[in-house]
Amino acid sequence: MRSLIPRLSFGRQPDFGVPRDPAPSRWRYRLQRLMLTPAFRLALRIGLPMVISASVTAAWLSVDGNRQAVLDGIEHAKRTIQQRPEFMVTTLEIDGAEPALDSAIRGYLPQELPVSSWDLDLVELRAGIRELTAVEDVVLRVRPGGTLAVHVTPRTPVAVWRNVDGLRLVDGSGVMTGMIRGRSDRADLPLIAGDGAREHIDEALALFAAAEPISARVRGLVRMGERRWDMVLDGGLRILLPTEQPVAALDRVLALNQAEEVLSRDIVAVDMRNGHRPTVRMSEPALVRVRRAQDETN
Amino acid sequence: MAQLYQTQRAMRNMRQAAMQRGVIAILDVGTSKIACLVLRFDADLRPVADGVGSMAGQSAFRVIGAATTRSRGVRFGEVAAMAETERAIRTAVQAAQKMAGVRVDHVIATLSGARPRSYGLAGEVEVEAGQVTGADIGRVLAACEMPDYGDGREVLHAQPVNFTLDHRSGLADPRGQIGQTLATDMHVLSVDATSIENLLFCIKRCDLELAGLASSAYVSGISSLVEDEQELGAACIDMGGGSTGISIFIRKHMIYADSVRMGGEHVTGDIAMGLQVPNATAERIKTFYGGVHATGMDDREMIEIGGDSGDWEKDRRTVSRAELIGIMRPRVEEILEEVRARLDAANFECLPSQQIVLTGGGSQIPGLDGLASRILGQQVRLGRPLRVQGLPQAATGPAFAGAVGLTLFAAHPQDEWWDFEIPAEGYSNRSLRRAFRWFKENW
């Protein structure tokens, strides 16, 4: 039986007898048409999720702590991979360097081992090591097995250069490779001196090679006025070489020496500066003796 | 005439613009049901198969959505309650859109009532250049004398059905032919403007745009008459719910249309009154047991008519089928008599072929063809609408003759003659042209 007290009823009252009207409401109809609009559907299907996800991400990232946490996480993951034993460098291997250079090179290489090969900047290390004057070239390589192999090509000194502040070793291209305390430390190398001597070391080496027959007597080469060489022999004997073709001039001196033993005479200098007029400067006593002999003959 | 030209031209442009969009809805606003079909036009007029052409544009579209709903607020094929009709249209359009999966913005609608009235117009002009050109066609259409069809009426269809060139009649397309005098016969169908406006307002309230309007009698004829019937002369009787449309075709053109303001709902009403049952029950009884020819068997077949009164005696009433037929038959006869009168008024008996095709939901009454042949003439058949691509099986019955015809109308409207420019009226233009012609001839 129906309740006699009228109740508040929400929603639609069932109206008996009238056939149900299936018509959509105006707004439902419009909504359906809107949903059938291709552009709207596309916006709803792609645009809306994108906007929502982007805004959520942006909101989350706007907190400093979250952003830091993300960066830390990335960094941690990176470290975890980089610190794997496969990537660790545990030993150093330096070849081609004498002990002094070796220790100098070690100063450039990482001090604390093991270190990840990701943290090694080989290019920078190589540039640092190449700054050492004694190193001509260096090849750095991380070998499988965790070895940092340093292959050093050291500069080989070819001459000793006497400077105001001491003796220095010079390689073939004129680069100083080190210092020595005394001449006797590297008696095997020829001695050069004077301003501009280093720049013309190849010429000096050619002269030393040419002076091979008298090598026992050669003390060294002195660059004179930054343009020509003086070869100094023992006893202060000097061979003054010209600017042009000094080797040919030296050869003439040697030939003269071979023929007439010029260099064994009591002379102070052989002046070859003028090729047409080689000149011999005798020592003071010899000159006196020559004068005296000339007087006696007269 | 200029106004007619402009409205026809505007309707044609509107429909073509809508068809350019690709999807268009067909809305058959009837008294008993509202049907909505969604068509997709592919603009693909290639022949369907070897030896089959584009089938008058039928191959260009496909029905992708179909829905039908019980009509509300429509009486005699005219909108009687705007809000109800609007809701019914919304229901049908929404369901069809849902089936099609696309949004529809343009509709072509048909209405069955609105008191259509046919006029035959004649126009005659001298051919200007010896050979008939498009401009001559425009002029001859403009030369037709418009009848006084009264205030508050609009021209729905205006189609030149025949061209005559110097006593040679029956030309379908006189362009290019040589002659002196070009005459045309035009068929104009006018309807009540208020009914159109009401329907237009309902459609507008549904956020839809009207892209065309057609008379239901005309489009039913297009879909139900086969090609030779349309060519030789036939009448299509569209027996709808609230009105019965009549259209006469010859040479593929409609030459007469009318409607009788009686239909299936009146039969239902008679049953409801005669048997004292609600309309819904009467409709059910009519569709299940209805007929127009009583036989001895029908006296013994008892129908439980029921009732919701709570009175046992009333709710257990039965009637014999013969009684039901006895109620239905006079009304159906009345409708057919009325149709007969309209056909007589249109001089239907003068046509070379007098085929009559019964279609529409009312034509499904068993035995109707026998009754109709007794009243209308010997050549009566029951017609079903043409099959179009993608039409659901449920929408292939004669009740959908209007809807299907409207799709054919959308694909192949017979108003292409309005593409020709009608000469602007005014003396100055003509005199200028004459001066120009004189100049051309004398130099």
Side-chain angles (χ1 to χ4, degrees):
Chain A
M1 196 180 130
R2 232 180 119 194
S3 166
L4 294 176
I5 304 161
R7 290 217 179 116
L8 277 177
S9 70
F10 298 98
R12 210 169 182 178
Q13 289 274 3
D15 36 6
F16 299 101
V18 177
R20 198 182 65 84
D21 185 3
S25 72
R26 227 171 140 69
W27 286 106
R28 182 178 286 272
Y29 172 76
R30 281 184 183 161
L31 178 71
Q32 195 228 13
R33 284 171 64 79
L34 193 64
M35 293 303 286
L36 283 172
T37 311
F40 184 79
R41 284 165 69 104
L42 196 73
L44 212 60
R45 210 178 70 231
I46 294 168
L48 194 66
M50 271 172 73
V51 165
I52 287 175
S53 56
S55 54
V56 165
T57 313
W60 192 75
L61 284 181
S62 65
V63 181
D64 280 339
N66 291 339
R67 214 160 47 227
Q68 195 55 46
V70 169
L71 293 178
D72 286 350
I74 292 170
E75 191 59 30
H76 176 73
K78 211 167 99 186
R79 297 301 315 168
T80 323
I81 293 169
Q82 288 180 350
Q83 298 289 348
R84 287 183 67 81
E86 289 86 350
F87 295 124
M88 295 308 276
V89 170
T90 48
T91 52
L92 293 179
E93 189 183 297
I94 303 175
D95 61 346
E98 68 258 29
L101 184 57
D102 188 300
S103 62
I105 288 173
R106 274 179 202 280
Y108 283 97
L109 295 178
Q111 304 300 315
E112 286 166 11
L113 293 176
V115 64
S116 169
S117 59
W118 291 90
D119 297 338
L120 291 177
D121 188 351
L122 293 183
V123 173
E124 197 180 312
L125 287 178
R126 180 169 178 265
I129 293 171
R130 279 189 65 156
E131 276 175 16
L132 288 172
T133 50
V135 176
E136 187 177 357
D137 199 8
V138 63
V139 176
L140 282 104
R141 193 156 41 131
V142 178
R143 282 216 203 105
T147 311
L148 177 62
V150 184
H151 179 74
V152 185
T153 313
R155 291 186 189 276
T156 45
V158 293
V160 179
W161 178 48
R162 186 184 293 281
N163 198 16
V164 249
D165 52 351
L167 291 163
R168 290 172 189 277
L169 295 171
V170 177
D171 79 339
S173 53
V175 179
M176 292 185 292
T177 63
M179 291 183 75
I180 50 172
R181 206 162 298 141
R183 177 75 179 95
S184 55
D185 287 354
R186 293 302 297 264
D188 55 321
L189 297 179
L191 182 74
I192 58 170
D195 292 339
R198 278 197 302 148
E199 286 76 13
H200 298 87
I201 195 147
D202 44 348
E203 209 172 78
L205 290 176
L207 287 172
F208 281 121
E212 185 60 39
I214 53 166
S215 60
R217 294 188 59 192
V218 173
R219 287 290 172 272
L221 279 169
V222 183
R223 188 76 174 167
M224 300 302 286
E226 295 191 29
R227 64 183 175 89
R228 63 174 200 86
W229 293 102
D230 269 11
M231 181 167 271
V232 180
L233 304 184
D234 56 351
L237 174 57
R238 276 177 179 253
I239 302 170
L240 283 66
L241 296 168
T243 310
E244 303 295 326
Q245 299 185 331
V247 177
L250 186 61
D251 282 345
R252 285 178 68 188
V253 173
L254 292 179
L256 210 58
N257 183 38
Q258 209 170 5
E260 306 197 12
E261 305 241 325
V262 174
L263 299 178
S264 312
R265 311 289 174 106
D266 192 4
I267 54 172
V268 178
V270 179
D271 191 348
M272 297 300 292
R273 285 178 295 184
N274 189 340
H276 301 296
R277 194 168 55 95
T279 313
V280 173
R281 192 192 307 158
M282 292 189 290
S283 68
E284 203 67 27
L287 194 63
V288 169
R289 274 205 309 270
V290 168
R291 292 271 165 80
R292 200 175 295 159
Q294 280 176 346
D295 288 346
E296 282 168 10
T297 48
N298 291 343
Chain B
M1 195 64 210
Q3 194 206 345
L4 170 67
Y5 169 72
Q6 269 159 13
T7 53
Q8 289 291 312
R9 191 76 176 267
M11 274 170 79
R12 184 166 167 77
N13 288 342
M14 216 157 53
R15 192 184 50 247
Q16 278 176 342
M19 275 161 65
Q20 287 284 318
R21 302 276 295 268
V23 177
I24 204 165
I26 294 299
L27 200 61
D28 178 8
V29 183
T31 313
S32 58
K33 67 150 185 17
I34 291 185
C36 178
L37 306 180
V38 179
L39 307 187
R40 167 171 286 147
F41 280 88
D42 300 326
D44 180 17
L45 287 169
R46 279 178 302 168
V48 178
D50 206 23
V52 181
S54 67
M55 303 195 301
Q58 286 174 45
S59 66
F61 69 84
R62 190 178 169 80
V63 179
I64 55 171
T68 171
T69 183
R70 183 174 62 84
S71 182
R72 276 94 74 192
V74 181
R75 292 185 67 205
F76 305 117
E78 293 155 20
V79 177
M82 300 285 277
E84 293 267 312
T85 312
E86 181 206 327
R87 274 142 55 95
I89 291 174
R90 240 169 25 208
T91 315
V93 171
Q94 190 190 36
Q97 273 185 149
K98 194 172 178 183
M99 178 175 165
V102 291
R103 179 187 166 146
V104 184
D105 289 323
H106 298 269
V107 293
I108 297 182
T110 174
L111 74 173
S112 51
R115 301 177 186 274
R117 208 173 295 157
S118 279
Y119 298 92
L121 273 56
E124 190 175 308
V125 287
E126 293 295 314
V127 177
E128 269 188 350
Q131 215 174 19
V132 180
T133 59
D136 290 320
I137 304 232
R139 283 194 309 123
V140 76
L141 293 184
C144 290
E145 190 71 31
M146 279 307 281
D148 178 23
Y149 48 73
D151 287 337
R153 291 184 73 83
E154 290 274 349
V155 173
L156 197 55
H157 297 290
Q159 294 160 344
V161 295
N162 183 30
F163 287 100
T164 310
L165 190 59
D166 293 345
H167 313 298
R168 284 191 295 128
S169 186
L171 302 177
D173 187 356
R175 277 176 299 168
Q177 300 200 37
I178 295 165
Q180 294 281 322
T181 316
L182 179 68
T184 187
D185 300 311
M186 182 149 54
H187 172 236
V188 168
L189 187 72
S190 73
V191 293
D192 268 346
T194 47
S195 330
I196 293 181
E197 274 159 23
N198 288 344
L199 181 63
L200 219 142
F201 186 72
C202 284
I203 288 168
K204 199 171 188 166
R205 289 265 296 167
C206 295
D207 303 332
L208 298 167
E209 229 174 282
L210 192 73
L213 204 56
S215 161
S216 165
Y218 172 45
V219 294
S220 300
I222 297 178
S223 69
S224 309
L225 301 183
V226 297
E227 209 171 336
D228 55 332
E229 286 168 350
Q230 286 184 19
E231 180 71 35
L232 298 172
C236 174
I237 316 294
D238 179 8
M239 305 185 70
S243 66
T244 299
I246 304 153
S247 57
I248 301 176
F249 280 71
I250 191 164
R251 284 207 202 92
K252 305 215 172 141
H253 280 288
M254 176 175 68
I255 55 165
Y256 178 80
D258 205 342
S259 89
V260 175
R261 288 161 78 77
M262 272 186 289
E265 300 238 312
H266 296 87
V267 179
T268 308
D270 287 351
I271 295 169
M273 280 186 275
L275 302 181
Q276 297 286 314
V277 287
N279 251 329
T281 315
E283 181 73 31
R284 206 182 110 260
I285 292 171
K286 181 184 84 173
T287 47
F288 279 146
Y289 310 105
V292 286
H293 265 295
T295 59
M297 176 68 184
D298 292 332
D299 284 331
R300 296 192 293 280
E301 188 178 344
M302 301 306 281
I303 306 162
E304 294 215 5
I305 56 175
D308 268 336
S309 63
D311 179 356
W312 195 89
E313 290 291 346
K314 190 173 181 197
D315 291 357
R316 290 291 173 276
R317 283 176 302 157
T318 54
V319 288
S320 69
R321 191 167 172 230
E323 278 176 282
L324 177 67
I325 289 169
I327 295 171
M328 284 176 72
R329 185 171 168 128
R331 179 62 84 164
V332 176
E333 272 179 346
E334 188 189 356
I335 294 171
L336 292 174
E337 294 283 3
E338 192 67 30
V339 168
R340 172 85 216 173
R342 303 294 168 102
L343 289 178
D344 284 347
N347 289 331
F348 180 62
E349 68 272 12
C350 300
L351 290 189
S353 153
Q354 286 156 31
Q355 179 76 48
I356 288 173
V357 177
L358 296 171
T359 188
S363 71
Q364 288 164 303
I365 303 173
L368 181 70
D369 47 345
L371 181 65
S373 65
R374 205 173 285 176
I375 296 170
L376 300 173
Q378 284 304 309
Q379 300 176 16
V380 173
R381 72 169 179 96
L382 295 178
R384 293 172 145 265
L386 207 70
R387 300 297 299 263
V388 293
Q389 279 192 81
L391 192 70
Q393 177 65 38
T396 53
F400 289 85
V404 174
L406 204 51
T407 68
L408 303 181
F409 169 74
H412 180 65
Q414 294 173 311
D415 57 358
E416 60 279 354
W417 292 113
W418 294 105
D419 275 350
F420 296 115
E421 288 295 336
I422 278 187
E425 279 164 53
Y427 194 72
S428 63
N429 189 16
R430 193 189 280 178
S431 65
L432 203 73
R433 193 176 292 171
R434 202 173 284 172
F436 182 72
R437 194 150 57 150
W438 175 87
F439 191 79
K440 217 164 72 172
E441 280 167 3
N442 288 279
W443 286 85

